[in-house]
Amino acid sequence: MNVTLSATLAANEEIERRRRAGERVLHLAFGEAGLPVHPALRERLIAASERNGYGPVAGASELREAASGYWHRRGLPTDPELVVCGPGSKALLYGLLLAIGGDIVLPMPSWVSYAAQADLVGARPLLVPAPPGEGGVPDPERVVSAVLRARSEGRQVRSLLVTLPDNPSGTLATANTIGRIVEVARELDLTIISDEIYRDLVHDPVATGFVSPADLAPERTVITSGLSKSLALGGWRIGVARLPSVGLRDRLLAVASEIWSSPAAPVQQAAAYAYTEPAELVARIDQSRRLHGTVVRAVHERFVLAGARVDAPRGGFYLYPHFDGLDFATSADLAAHLLDEYGVGVLAGHVFGDDPGALRARVATSLLYGETTEQRTVTLNAPDPLGLPWISASLDHLSEALAGLYAMRRAPLGYGPGRLVPAS
């Protein structure tokens, strides 16, 4: 088995290495929420720091009750006994692949770890393109043909994954598409894994009308979520999963007992407080949602003005531009050129399962908010974050890079290793 470092983590380490070496790099390659920890959460973590026992494999009862309430307030009555907590939703997703077994249908493109985790457990992912403008959900009609073909070859396809809203595109599937994918899952007897870690960062939640597969098919839908995006707690490593049945819960707990035993006890106590959704944390998430939306829309505008084709973001802090008309052989070459020549770090589309020859890349805007806790706090509270000098400078850097990149279309170009060179 050829196991390599996650593409997102590798890109983050490479950019940090360049920065330590004195290079000016605009970091658009890593999906960290980039905001300070709320003081109320720090206080609860400190207060629980003496809790050093392992605790239940499923997670502390306080956290499971709180997560149950979180989903209940979103129209999904949830038995706390069907909630399992883990050290991040990423670990829970891995555990679910083991617990469900078989091959899995993934949208293309999709977050880098989905297919990598499937490979690790010995499953073969079926990559099915998402409908135009609706990233995160495999096209329902193509799913039917892909699954039937795979099963005719003897493969056991047992699950299907959606991401709402999507990483890498920042778009959100419509209610109609969710309804159809649920119908397909029923027809094909597939368990749906719905990764909803960005749910609370939908930019306009009232107008959007978020629909989860669990609203329509609770009997076959697992929801995974966590606090790494909505409350910027990525480094605390805490996630929750809502299971549709006791049988799947028990299988997941068996996996968890052999891999992580139980999540960190002090973090669980802070997370339990977060999932009760006290007023100060609801306000913080509202602030974060507005900031993410403001900045990612500003970056979207820069790409559109430069000539890239990119869907408007509807949630989170991602874009997935198509660099049509540029003379690069692969998305990896495009990303390398942006980093080497313009100091702009993005993730090439091929790491998300996309066609390597399609010139696409994921752009994450969430590390533009400042280099220090003080700057990030100012950004979070600013009435006009785009006017802050560090954000304004980043936007100018991006515009200059894109102008230089697209200026290349004016002259005939050939291809050299890792970058464009004048044709000979």
Side-chain angles (χ1 to χ4, degrees):
M1 180 183 299
N2 183 24
V3 181
T4 60
L5 189 66
S6 165
T8 50
L9 297 173
N12 186 55
E13 291 183 8
E14 171 61 15
I15 289 171
E16 291 304 320
R17 183 193 67 77
R18 289 177 180 242
R19 285 181 160 183
R20 288 193 300 271
E23 293 185 36
R24 177 176 175 242
V25 180
L26 185 62
H27 198 342
L28 301 175
F30 195 49
E32 186 171 309
L35 291 170
V37 178
H38 194 285
L41 292 172
R42 292 204 308 269
E43 291 167 6
R44 274 146 185 92
L45 185 67
I46 293 168
S49 61
E50 290 186 354
R51 298 198 179 203
N52 60 349
Y54 283 108
V57 176
S61 59
E62 301 97 320
L63 177 51
R64 289 186 287 111
E65 289 279 357
S68 172
Y70 166 89
W71 278 305
H72 185 85
R73 290 186 291 277
R74 285 154 181 78
L76 291 168
T78 302
D79 183 346
E81 292 301 311
L82 292 177
V83 175
V84 174
C85 313
S89 63
K90 191 173 184 177
L92 288 166
L93 286 163
Y94 183 72
L96 285 163
L97 290 176
L98 288 166
I100 295 169
D103 292 342
I104 184 169
V105 180
L106 299 176
M108 184 180 74
S110 57
W111 180 46
V112 299
S113 288
Y114 297 143
Q117 288 190 351
D119 289 339
L120 285 172
V121 303
R124 285 190 289 167
L126 280 72
L127 297 175
V128 176
E134 296 186 66
V137 177
D139 185 289
E141 309 316 317
R142 295 193 186 193
V143 168
V144 175
S145 58
V147 171
L148 292 179
R149 183 169 58 252
R151 286 176 173 170
S152 72
E153 297 167 355
R155 295 170 62 179
Q156 295 186 4
V157 186
R158 294 180 181 168
S159 59
L160 176 150
L161 186 142
V162 301
T163 313
L164 306 170
D166 182 40
N167 170 10
S169 71
T171 59
L172 180 65
T174 64
N176 287 339
T177 298
I178 296 300
R180 181 58 185 138
I181 203 69
V182 164
E183 291 174 358
V184 166
R186 282 200 176 109
E187 292 167 9
L188 298 173
D189 192 22
L190 297 172
T191 297
I192 302 170
I193 301 173
S194 187
D195 184 348
E196 299 179 11
I197 197 155
Y198 297 96
R199 174 174 183 159
D200 292 333
L201 296 181
V202 172
H203 299 157
D204 190 347
V206 175
T208 298
F210 184 97
V211 176
S212 169
D215 293 320
L216 309 176
E219 78 286 353
R220 66 175 59 251
T221 301
V222 180
I223 299 176
T224 61
S225 190
L227 301 175
S228 61
K229 310 304 179 182
S230 61
L231 284 167
L233 297 179
W236 287 21
R237 307 313 302 142
I238 191 71
V240 291
R242 180 185 187 273
L243 283 300
S245 68
V246 171
L248 181 54
R249 179 206 63 187
D250 289 349
R251 294 195 299 276
L252 178 57
L253 289 179
V255 171
S257 70
E258 302 296 353
I259 297 179
W260 62 78
S261 298
S262 62
V267 175
Q268 288 190 74
Q269 295 306 306
Y273 178 71
Y275 275 115
T276 64
E277 300 186 283
E280 68 265 33
L281 296 188
V282 170
R284 167 58 69 87
I285 293 172
D286 287 344
Q287 279 184 297
S288 303
R289 182 190 303 116
R290 286 193 295 271
L291 174 61
H292 294 319
T294 297
V295 174
V296 76
R297 285 191 295 271
V299 172
H300 173 264
E301 181 182 348
R302 296 325 193 262
F303 276 96
V304 171
L305 288 173
R309 180 165 53 93
V310 55
D311 292 318
R314 298 184 65 192
F317 33 75
Y318 299 120
L319 298 168
Y320 197 65
H322 300 222
F323 295 85
D324 299 329
L326 296 182
D327 189 18
F328 291 89
T330 67
S331 60
D333 295 316
L334 168 64
H337 185 80
L338 275 170
L339 183 58
D340 291 341
E341 299 300 320
Y342 298 105
V344 174
V346 299
L347 272 187
H350 77 280
V351 304
F352 298 93
D354 212 339
D355 176 2
L359 300 185
R360 299 166 191 150
R362 193 199 69 178
V363 172
T365 62
S366 49
L367 291 182
L368 300 183
Y369 307 147
E371 297 294 329
T372 65
T373 298
E374 291 72 21
Q375 281 188 340
R376 292 165 184 158
T377 302
V378 169
T379 301
L380 186 62
N381 294 313
D384 177 23
L386 303 182
L388 295 171
W390 49 91
I391 293 184
S392 177
S394 294
L395 294 174
D396 289 345
H397 182 165
L398 176 62
S399 293
E400 291 164 7
L402 293 174
L405 188 68
Y406 275 88
M408 294 176 176
R409 289 194 299 189
R410 302 193 190 109
L413 293 167
Y415 194 74
R419 65 184 68 192
L420 286 173
V421 296
S424 55

